[in-house]
Amino acid sequence: MRGTITDVAGVKVGHFTEKEARTGCTVVLLPANSRGGVVVSGSAPATRETAVLEPSSWVEDVHAICLAGGSAYGLQAAGGVMRWLEARGQGHPTRFGPVPIVPAACIYDLNVGDGTVRPDEEAGYDACERASTDFPTGQVGAGTGATCGKWRGIERACPAGIGTASRRVEDLVVGCLAVVSPIGDIVGRDGRVLLGVGGDPTGALSPGMPNTILCVVATTGCLTRDMCTRAASRIPDGIARAVNPAHTLHDGDTGFFVSCGAVDADPDVIFHLTMEVVADAIRSVARKQERT
């Protein structure tokens, strides 16, 4: 059950980590003919190329997803991912060469390390160079400056980071990679706080500060882009299962869903596994911090 997003065949993950500045970026490279959907549920998201994943867009394919720190400044890391893919002839075909489709989203970590250092094109390119099926989690890549449990104030925040998980039903695999930096605590199925400050946040939320959970969910299931959009809409449900409080006005949550395979599966099964695997990936961050 704990697995990784790279249990979905063809998916690779790479990180660029700036340890001293406490920021970085993470790239999810996707197999050919992948289709995607997106849900932007946060009140102040830092995103790029999300419109191309809407059902009304005529561009079907998506080649990679870039996640980064640095708030909106970090979106430039996606340019390095595009450059890496272009050099390998990957992208949406046009008359004048391929154009890689690389949606991106960022967390706000400018208040954690050195806010003047942000992921750039070189960081995105380097993350692609490091991509593999075996990748580290925790405070690496886009999760280097991630924190949780900020609802009582940033001074009481706990280190969080990147988590991953997968679930399998016969040939169907659904995997998730999550950059976990919410205002809330990470909680278990029973509501017990796994990582955070604990207590009842009702009426006690600290004044707003930027927070975000970014998720990439991939599956071997074969879904249309419209169904990918419907599957993406389940990502916030998975977040709400594992974070308390979730979806405040100060969270900038964004979720990407990608169909990477040809397995014929009931969409409702994929929707259910999406919610479960998102919660699994978020909770895996708590387990990672327990071991460090």
Side-chain angles (χ1 to χ4, degrees), residues 137-201:
T137 57
Q139 294 220 293
V140 294
T144 304
T147 54
C148 70
K150 289 167 276 192
W151 62 270
R152 285 189 176 178
I154 188 63
E155 68 280 356
R156 299 189 66 177
C158 302
I162 284 182
T164 188
S166 69
R167 292 202 176 207
R168 180 186 296 270
V169 178
E170 297 179 345
D171 292 334
L172 176 67
V173 181
V174 180
C176 176
L177 181 138
V179 183
V180 182
S181 192
I183 195 171
D185 298 330
I186 300 174
V187 298
R189 287 182 175 272
D190 58 359
R192 179 175 58 89
V193 174
L194 303 178
L195 186 66
V197 292
D200 182 3

Side-chain angles (χ1 to χ4, degrees), residues 34-220:
S34 294
R35 297 166 301 283
V38 65
V39 58
V40 181
S41 56
S43 300
T47 56
R48 164 177 163 159
E49 288 275 55
T50 52
V52 78
L53 298 180
E54 297 291 342
S56 58
S57 171
W58 64 272
V59 176
E60 285 281 347
D61 39 1
V62 56
H63 303 95
I65 295 173
C66 182
L67 309 175
S71 189
Y73 295 109
L75 292 173
Q76 62 184 312
V81 181
M82 290 185 68
R83 182 158 53 87
W84 189 89
L85 290 166
E86 180 188 25
R88 288 153 182 80
Q90 299 179 42
H92 179 73
T94 76
R95 290 178 58 192
F96 301 101
V99 178
I101 305 301
V102 184
C106 297
I107 68 167
Y108 186 97
D109 57 6
L110 303 180
N111 58 339
V112 177
D114 183 349
T116 67
V117 178
R118 301 106 179 209
D120 56 12
E121 281 201 16
E122 291 306 314
Y125 192 97
D126 188 70
C128 292
E129 289 283 278
R130 298 169 183 267
S132 71
T133 57
D134 184 15
F135 61 95
T137 57
Q139 294 220 293
V140 294
T144 304
T147 54
C148 70
K150 289 167 276 192
W151 62 270
R152 285 189 176 178
I154 188 63
E155 68 280 356
R156 299 189 66 177
C158 302
I162 284 182
T164 188
S166 69
R167 292 202 176 207
R168 180 186 296 270
V169 178
E170 297 179 345
D171 292 334
L172 176 67
V173 181
V174 180
C176 176
L177 181 138
V179 183
V180 182
S181 192
I183 195 171
D185 298 330
I186 300 174
V187 298
R189 287 182 175 272
D190 58 359
R192 179 175 58 89
V193 174
L194 303 178
L195 186 66
V197 292
D200 182 3
T202 304
L205 286 174
S206 179
M209 62 192 76
N211 312 275
T212 299
I213 291 181
L214 308 177
C215 291
V216 180
V217 177
T219 184
T220 57

Side-chain angles (χ1 to χ4, degrees), residues 237-255:
D237 297 332
I239 293 173
R241 293 183 180 195
V243 175
N244 181 45
H247 307 318
T248 74
L249 290 176
H250 315 302
D251 288 293
D253 304 333
T254 300

